[in-house]
PDB file of all heavy atoms in Angstrom:
ATOM      1  N   PRO A   1       9.056-125.505-228.016  1.00  0.00           N
ATOM      2  CA  PRO A   1      10.096-124.471-227.925  1.00  0.00           C
ATOM      3  C   PRO A   1       9.618-123.254-227.149  1.00  0.00           C
ATOM      4  O   PRO A   1       8.432-122.915-227.178  1.00  0.00           O
ATOM      5  CB  PRO A   1      10.361-124.117-229.391  1.00  0.00           C
ATOM      6  CG  PRO A   1       9.070-124.408-230.088  1.00  0.00           C
ATOM      7  CD  PRO A   1       8.461-125.578-229.367  1.00  0.00           C
ATOM      8  N   SER A   2      10.547-122.609-226.454  1.00  0.00           N
ATOM      9  CA  SER A   2      10.211-121.368-225.753  1.00  0.00           C
ATOM     10  C   SER A   2       9.998-120.242-226.747  1.00  0.00           C
ATOM     11  O   SER A   2       9.277-119.276-226.485  1.00  0.00           O
ATOM     12  CB  SER A   2      11.342-120.989-224.789  1.00  0.00           C
ATOM     13  OG  SER A   2      12.564-120.814-225.501  1.00  0.00           O
ATOM     14  N   CYS A   3      10.635-120.354-227.911  1.00  0.00           N
ATOM     15  CA  CYS A   3      10.509-119.353-228.968  1.00  0.00           C
ATOM     16  C   CYS A   3      10.696-120.076-230.309  1.00  0.00           C
ATOM     17  O   CYS A   3      11.668-120.796-230.489  1.00  0.00           O
ATOM     18  CB  CYS A   3      11.566-118.261-228.783  1.00  0.00           C
ATOM     19  SG  CYS A   3      11.587-117.018-230.082  1.00  0.00           S
ATOM     20  N   PHE A   4       9.766-119.887-231.223  1.00  0.00           N
ATOM     21  CA  PHE A   4       9.795-120.596-232.502  1.00  0.00           C
ATOM     22  C   PHE A   4       9.999-119.573-233.622  1.00  0.00           C
ATOM     23  O   PHE A   4       9.042-118.955-234.083  1.00  0.00           O
ATOM     24  CB  PHE A   4       8.467-121.347-232.679  1.00  0.00           C
ATOM     25  CG  PHE A   4       8.512-122.432-233.725  1.00  0.00           C
ATOM     26  CD1 PHE A   4       7.407-123.247-233.930  1.00  0.00           C
ATOM     27  CD2 PHE A   4       9.638-122.653-234.498  1.00  0.00           C
ATOM     28  CE1 PHE A   4       7.426-124.257-234.890  1.00  0.00           C
ATOM     29  CE2 PHE A   4       9.675-123.652-235.456  1.00  0.00           C
ATOM     30  CZ  PHE A   4       8.570-124.458-235.654  1.00  0.00           C
ATOM     31  N   ILE A   5      11.255-119.379-234.034  1.00  0.00           N
ATOM     32  CA  ILE A   5      11.583-118.431-235.092  1.00  0.00           C
ATOM     33  C   ILE A   5      11.555-119.168-236.430  1.00  0.00           C
ATOM     34  O   ILE A   5      12.284-120.141-236.619  1.00  0.00           O
ATOM     35  CB  ILE A   5      12.966-117.806-234.864  1.00  0.00           C
ATOM     36  CG1 ILE A   5      12.995-117.089-233.506  1.00  0.00           C
ATOM     37  CG2 ILE A   5      13.308-116.828-235.979  1.00  0.00           C
ATOM     38  CD1 ILE A   5      14.372-116.582-233.122  1.00  0.00           C
ATOM     39  N   ILE A   6      10.714-118.692-237.350  1.00  0.00           N
ATOM     40  CA  ILE A   6      10.510-119.379-238.617  1.00  0.00           C
ATOM     41  C   ILE A   6      10.866-118.452-239.771  1.00  0.00           C
ATOM     42  O   ILE A   6      10.378-117.324-239.840  1.00  0.00           O
ATOM     43  CB  ILE A   6       9.043-119.829-238.766  1.00  0.00           C
ATOM     44  CG1 ILE A   6       8.612-120.663-237.559  1.00  0.00           C
ATOM     45  CG2 ILE A   6       8.845-120.611-240.057  1.00  0.00           C
ATOM     46  CD1 ILE A   6       7.115-120.858-237.465  1.00  0.00           C
ATOM     47  N   GLN A   7      11.716-118.939-240.672  1.00  0.00           N
ATOM     48  CA  GLN A   7      12.042-118.185-241.877  1.00  0.00           C
ATOM     49  C   GLN A   7      11.159-118.666-243.019  1.00  0.00           C
ATOM     50  O   GLN A   7      11.090-119.857-243.311  1.00  0.00           O
ATOM     51  CB  GLN A   7      13.506-118.393-242.254  1.00  0.00           C
ATOM     52  CG  GLN A   7      14.493-117.865-241.222  1.00  0.00           C
ATOM     53  CD  GLN A   7      15.915-118.076-241.689  1.00  0.00           C
ATOM     54  OE1 GLN A   7      16.315-117.591-242.738  1.00  0.00           O
ATOM     55  NE2 GLN A   7      16.693-118.825-240.917  1.00  0.00           N
ATOM     56  N   MET A   8      10.486-117.711-243.666  1.00  0.00           N
ATOM     57  CA  MET A   8       9.611-118.044-244.780  1.00  0.00           C
ATOM     58  C   MET A   8      10.428-118.499-246.001  1.00  0.00           C
ATOM     59  O   MET A   8      11.600-118.161-246.124  1.00  0.00           O
ATOM     60  CB  MET A   8       8.761-116.837-245.162  1.00  0.00           C
ATOM     61  CG  MET A   8       7.831-116.343-244.058  1.00  0.00           C
ATOM     62  SD  MET A   8       6.632-117.575-243.524  1.00  0.00           S
ATOM     63  CE  MET A   8       7.342-118.100-241.968  1.00  0.00           C
ATOM     64  N   PRO A   9       9.814-119.263-246.901  1.00  0.00           N
ATOM     65  CA  PRO A   9      10.544-119.701-248.102  1.00  0.00           C
ATOM     66  C   PRO A   9      10.886-118.503-248.976  1.00  0.00           C
ATOM     67  O   PRO A   9      10.067-117.606-249.166  1.00  0.00           O
ATOM     68  CB  PRO A   9       9.544-120.632-248.807  1.00  0.00           C
ATOM     69  CG  PRO A   9       8.212-120.235-248.282  1.00  0.00           C
ATOM     70  CD  PRO A   9       8.438-119.776-246.877  1.00  0.00           C
ATOM     71  N   ARG A  10      12.110-118.459-249.486  1.00  0.00           N
ATOM     72  CA  ARG A  10      12.537-117.331-250.324  1.00  0.00           C
ATOM     73  C   ARG A  10      13.568-117.833-251.319  1.00  0.00           C
ATOM     74  O   ARG A  10      14.324-118.746-251.046  1.00  0.00           O
ATOM     75  CB  ARG A  10      13.138-116.220-249.456  1.00  0.00           C
ATOM     76  CG  ARG A  10      14.234-116.724-248.559  1.00  0.00           C
ATOM     77  CD  ARG A  10      14.615-115.738-247.472  1.00  0.00           C
ATOM     78  NE  ARG A  10      15.472-116.378-246.514  1.00  0.00           N
ATOM     79  CZ  ARG A  10      16.761-116.665-246.717  1.00  0.00           C
ATOM     80  NH1 ARG A  10      17.328-116.319-247.847  1.00  0.00           N
ATOM     81  NH2 ARG A  10      17.484-117.275-245.817  1.00  0.00           N
ATOM     82  N   PHE A  11      13.592-117.202-252.484  1.00  0.00           N
ATOM     83  CA  PHE A  11      14.476-117.661-253.540  1.00  0.00           C
ATOM     84  C   PHE A  11      15.138-116.478-254.235  1.00  0.00           C
ATOM     85  O   PHE A  11      15.210-116.417-255.455  1.00  0.00           O
ATOM     86  CB  PHE A  11      13.702-118.524-254.551  1.00  0.00           C
ATOM     87  CG  PHE A  11      13.276-119.833-253.975  1.00  0.00           C
ATOM     88  CD1 PHE A  11      12.049-119.949-253.342  1.00  0.00           C
ATOM     89  CD2 PHE A  11      14.106-120.930-254.031  1.00  0.00           C
ATOM     90  CE1 PHE A  11      11.654-121.164-252.802  1.00  0.00           C
ATOM     91  CE2 PHE A  11      13.712-122.146-253.499  1.00  0.00           C
ATOM     92  CZ  PHE A  11      12.489-122.262-252.872  1.00  0.00           C
ATOM     93  N   GLY A  12      15.609-115.493-253.468  1.00  0.00           N
ATOM     94  CA  GLY A  12      16.332-114.367-254.036  1.00  0.00           C
ATOM     95  C   GLY A  12      15.431-113.393-254.760  1.00  0.00           C
ATOM     96  O   GLY A  12      14.209-113.394-254.611  1.00  0.00           O
ATOM     97  N   LYS A  13      16.038-112.556-255.578  1.00  0.00           N
ATOM     98  CA  LYS A  13      15.305-111.472-256.237  1.00  0.00           C
ATOM     99  C   LYS A  13      14.515-111.937-257.449  1.00  0.00           C
ATOM    100  O   LYS A  13      13.526-111.323-257.831  1.00  0.00           O
ATOM    101  CB  LYS A  13      16.296-110.382-256.668  1.00  0.00           C
ATOM    102  CG  LYS A  13      17.040-109.739-255.500  1.00  0.00           C
ATOM    103  CD  LYS A  13      18.052-108.718-256.006  1.00  0.00           C
ATOM    104  CE  LYS A  13      18.820-108.097-254.837  1.00  0.00           C
ATOM    105  NZ  LYS A  13      19.839-107.130-255.305  1.00  0.00           N
ATOM    106  N   GLU A  14      14.950-113.021-258.080  1.00  0.00           N
ATOM    107  CA  GLU A  14      14.365-113.405-259.355  1.00  0.00           C
ATOM    108  C   GLU A  14      13.067-114.202-259.225  1.00  0.00           C
ATOM    109  O   GLU A  14      12.169-114.076-260.046  1.00  0.00           O
ATOM    110  CB  GLU A  14      15.384-114.229-260.160  1.00  0.00           C
ATOM    111  CG  GLU A  14      16.681-113.492-260.451  1.00  0.00           C
ATOM    112  CD  GLU A  14      16.452-112.209-261.220  1.00  0.00           C
ATOM    113  OE1 GLU A  14      15.591-112.212-262.123  1.00  0.00           O
ATOM    114  OE2 GLU A  14      17.124-111.204-260.912  1.00  0.00           O
ATOM    115  N   TYR A  15      12.953-115.024-258.190  1.00  0.00           N
ATOM    116  CA  TYR A  15      11.805-115.923-258.099  1.00  0.00           C
ATOM    117  C   TYR A  15      11.290-115.994-256.675  1.00  0.00           C
ATOM    118  O   TYR A  15      12.053-116.174-255.734  1.00  0.00           O
ATOM    119  CB  TYR A  15      12.191-117.327-258.566  1.00  0.00           C
ATOM    120  CG  TYR A  15      11.100-118.354-258.337  1.00  0.00           C
ATOM    121  CD1 TYR A  15       9.940-118.341-259.098  1.00  0.00           C
ATOM    122  CD2 TYR A  15      11.236-119.321-257.345  1.00  0.00           C
ATOM    123  CE1 TYR A  15       8.938-119.278-258.882  1.00  0.00           C
ATOM    124  CE2 TYR A  15      10.241-120.258-257.123  1.00  0.00           C
ATOM    125  CZ  TYR A  15       9.094-120.238-257.895  1.00  0.00           C
ATOM    126  OH  TYR A  15       8.107-121.154-257.665  1.00  0.00           O
ATOM    127  N   LYS A  16       9.996-115.795-256.523  1.00  0.00           N
ATOM    128  CA  LYS A  16       9.353-115.941-255.224  1.00  0.00           C
ATOM    129  C   LYS A  16       8.345-117.077-255.327  1.00  0.00           C
ATOM    130  O   LYS A  16       7.508-117.094-256.233  1.00  0.00           O
ATOM    131  CB  LYS A  16       8.628-114.650-254.827  1.00  0.00           C
ATOM    132  CG  LYS A  16       9.550-113.442-254.641  1.00  0.00           C
ATOM    133  CD  LYS A  16      10.401-113.589-253.397  1.00  0.00           C
ATOM    134  CE  LYS A  16      11.178-112.319-253.089  1.00  0.00           C
ATOM    135  NZ  LYS A  16      12.190-111.986-254.101  1.00  0.00           N
ATOM    136  N   MET A  17       8.415-118.033-254.407  1.00  0.00           N
ATOM    137  CA  MET A  17       7.488-119.164-254.440  1.00  0.00           C
ATOM    138  C   MET A  17       6.060-118.689-254.216  1.00  0.00           C
ATOM    139  O   MET A  17       5.121-119.164-254.859  1.00  0.00           O
ATOM    140  CB  MET A  17       7.879-120.199-253.389  1.00  0.00           C
ATOM    141  CG  MET A  17       6.947-121.393-253.360  1.00  0.00           C
ATOM    142  SD  MET A  17       7.479-122.717-252.265  1.00  0.00           S
ATOM    143  CE  MET A  17       8.783-123.475-253.209  1.00  0.00           C
ATOM    144  N   PHE A  18       5.878-117.709-253.293  1.00  0.00           N
ATOM    145  CA  PHE A  18       4.553-117.155-253.024  1.00  0.00           C
ATOM    146  C   PHE A  18       4.644-115.632-253.047  1.00  0.00           C
ATOM    147  O   PHE A  18       5.556-115.053-252.468  1.00  0.00           O
ATOM    148  CB  PHE A  18       4.044-117.613-251.652  1.00  0.00           C
ATOM    149  CG  PHE A  18       4.001-119.111-251.485  1.00  0.00           C
ATOM    150  CD1 PHE A  18       4.936-119.749-250.696  1.00  0.00           C
ATOM    151  CD2 PHE A  18       3.035-119.869-252.126  1.00  0.00           C
ATOM    152  CE1 PHE A  18       4.920-121.126-250.541  1.00  0.00           C
ATOM    153  CE2 PHE A  18       3.009-121.244-251.979  1.00  0.00           C
ATOM    154  CZ  PHE A  18       3.949-121.877-251.187  1.00  0.00           C
ATOM    155  N   SER A  19       3.678-115.001-253.713  1.00  0.00           N
ATOM    156  CA  SER A  19       3.672-113.541-253.746  1.00  0.00           C
ATOM    157  C   SER A  19       3.273-112.964-252.398  1.00  0.00           C
ATOM    158  O   SER A  19       3.683-111.870-252.030  1.00  0.00           O
ATOM    159  CB  SER A  19       2.719-113.038-254.837  1.00  0.00           C
ATOM    160  OG  SER A  19       1.393-113.501-254.588  1.00  0.00           O
ATOM    161  N   LYS A  20       2.467-113.723-251.661  1.00  0.00           N
ATOM    162  CA  LYS A  20       2.028-113.282-250.330  1.00  0.00           C
ATOM    163  C   LYS A  20       1.934-114.493-249.414  1.00  0.00           C
ATOM    164  O   LYS A  20       1.629-115.598-249.858  1.00  0.00           O
ATOM    165  CB  LYS A  20       0.656-112.588-250.380  1.00  0.00           C
ATOM    166  CG  LYS A  20       0.600-111.325-251.223  1.00  0.00           C
ATOM    167  CD  LYS A  20      -0.805-110.755-251.219  1.00  0.00           C
ATOM    168  CE  LYS A  20      -0.890-109.486-252.055  1.00  0.00           C
ATOM    169  NZ  LYS A  20      -0.695-109.751-253.491  1.00  0.00           N
ATOM    170  N   ILE A  21       2.179-114.274-248.125  1.00  0.00           N
ATOM    171  CA  ILE A  21       1.987-115.296-247.092  1.00  0.00           C
ATOM    172  C   ILE A  21       1.212-114.646-245.944  1.00  0.00           C
ATOM    173  O   ILE A  21       1.595-113.586-245.452  1.00  0.00           O
ATOM    174  CB  ILE A  21       3.331-115.840-246.575  1.00  0.00           C
ATOM    175  CG1 ILE A  21       4.086-116.553-247.698  1.00  0.00           C
ATOM    176  CG2 ILE A  21       3.110-116.802-245.403  1.00  0.00           C
ATOM    177  CD1 ILE A  21       5.492-116.980-247.324  1.00  0.00           C
ATOM    178  N   ILE A  22       0.110-115.280-245.544  1.00  0.00           N
ATOM    179  CA  ILE A  22      -0.715-114.724-244.472  1.00  0.00           C
ATOM    180  C   ILE A  22      -0.130-115.125-243.118  1.00  0.00           C
ATOM    181  O   ILE A  22       0.060-116.318-242.858  1.00  0.00           O
ATOM    182  CB  ILE A  22      -2.169-115.230-244.578  1.00  0.00           C
ATOM    183  CG1 ILE A  22      -2.774-114.824-245.935  1.00  0.00           C
ATOM    184  CG2 ILE A  22      -3.016-114.689-243.430  1.00  0.00           C
ATOM    185  CD1 ILE A  22      -4.125-115.450-246.202  1.00  0.00           C
ATOM    186  N   PRO A  23       0.185-114.175-242.240  1.00  0.00           N
ATOM    187  CA  PRO A  23       0.700-114.535-240.914  1.00  0.00           C
ATOM    188  C   PRO A  23      -0.362-115.267-240.094  1.00  0.00           C
ATOM    189  O   PRO A  23      -1.519-114.843-240.047  1.00  0.00           O
ATOM    190  CB  PRO A  23       1.021-113.170-240.270  1.00  0.00           C
ATOM    191  CG  PRO A  23       1.063-112.200-241.399  1.00  0.00           C
ATOM    192  CD  PRO A  23       0.110-112.707-242.423  1.00  0.00           C
ATOM    193  N   SER A  24       0.021-116.371-239.485  1.00  0.00           N
ATOM    194  CA  SER A  24      -0.869-117.064-238.546  1.00  0.00           C
ATOM    195  C   SER A  24      -0.622-116.475-237.157  1.00  0.00           C
ATOM    196  O   SER A  24       0.485-116.580-236.633  1.00  0.00           O
ATOM    197  CB  SER A  24      -0.583-118.564-238.543  1.00  0.00           C
ATOM    198  OG  SER A  24      -0.840-119.132-239.808  1.00  0.00           O
ATOM    199  N   LEU A  25      -1.632-115.854-236.587  1.00  0.00           N
ATOM    200  CA  LEU A  25      -1.455-115.191-235.293  1.00  0.00           C
ATOM    201  C   LEU A  25      -1.237-116.199-234.176  1.00  0.00           C
ATOM    202  O   LEU A  25      -0.679-115.868-233.135  1.00  0.00           O
ATOM    203  CB  LEU A  25      -2.651-114.296-234.994  1.00  0.00           C
ATOM    204  CG  LEU A  25      -2.904-113.179-236.023  1.00  0.00           C
ATOM    205  CD1 LEU A  25      -4.048-112.287-235.568  1.00  0.00           C
ATOM    206  CD2 LEU A  25      -1.646-112.355-236.258  1.00  0.00           C
ATOM    207  N   GLU A  26      -1.697-117.415-234.372  1.00  0.00           N
ATOM    208  CA  GLU A  26      -1.411-118.508-233.447  1.00  0.00           C
ATOM    209  C   GLU A  26      -0.940-119.700-234.264  1.00  0.00           C
ATOM    210  O   GLU A  26      -1.374-119.895-235.403  1.00  0.00           O
ATOM    211  CB  GLU A  26      -2.651-118.898-232.633  1.00  0.00           C
ATOM    212  CG  GLU A  26      -3.083-117.818-231.650  1.00  0.00           C
ATOM    213  CD  GLU A  26      -4.260-118.286-230.783  1.00  0.00           C
ATOM    214  OE1 GLU A  26      -4.849-119.351-231.106  1.00  0.00           O
ATOM    215  OE2 GLU A  26      -4.588-117.604-229.818  1.00  0.00           O
ATOM    216  N   LEU A  27      -0.048-120.490-233.682  1.00  0.00           N
ATOM    217  CA  LEU A  27       0.510-121.639-234.392  1.00  0.00           C
ATOM    218  C   LEU A  27       0.232-122.902-233.574  1.00  0.00           C
ATOM    219  O   LEU A  27       0.662-123.010-232.430  1.00  0.00           O
ATOM    220  CB  LEU A  27       2.019-121.448-234.586  1.00  0.00           C
ATOM    221  CG  LEU A  27       2.698-122.299-235.653  1.00  0.00           C
ATOM    222  CD1 LEU A  27       2.149-121.961-237.035  1.00  0.00           C
ATOM    223  CD2 LEU A  27       4.199-122.072-235.630  1.00  0.00           C
TER     224      LEU A  27
END
């Protein structure tokens, strides 16, 4: 892809699958 837009996993206000996600500077 010319641009890879990725949405992190999220589950609203009540539950978060991960408290933190480390950004990968390269994919």
Side-chain angles (χ1 to χ4, degrees):
S2 59
C3 176
F4 197 176
I5 301 173
I6 306 166
Q7 296 182 59
M8 298 299 104
R10 53 194 169 75
F11 291 90
K13 298 177 181 178
E14 301 302 320
Y15 173 71
K16 297 289 188 294
M17 179 173 284
F18 304 106
S19 60
K20 298 179 180 68
I21 296 173
I22 301 172
S24 297
L25 300 184
E26 292 184 349
L27 198 64

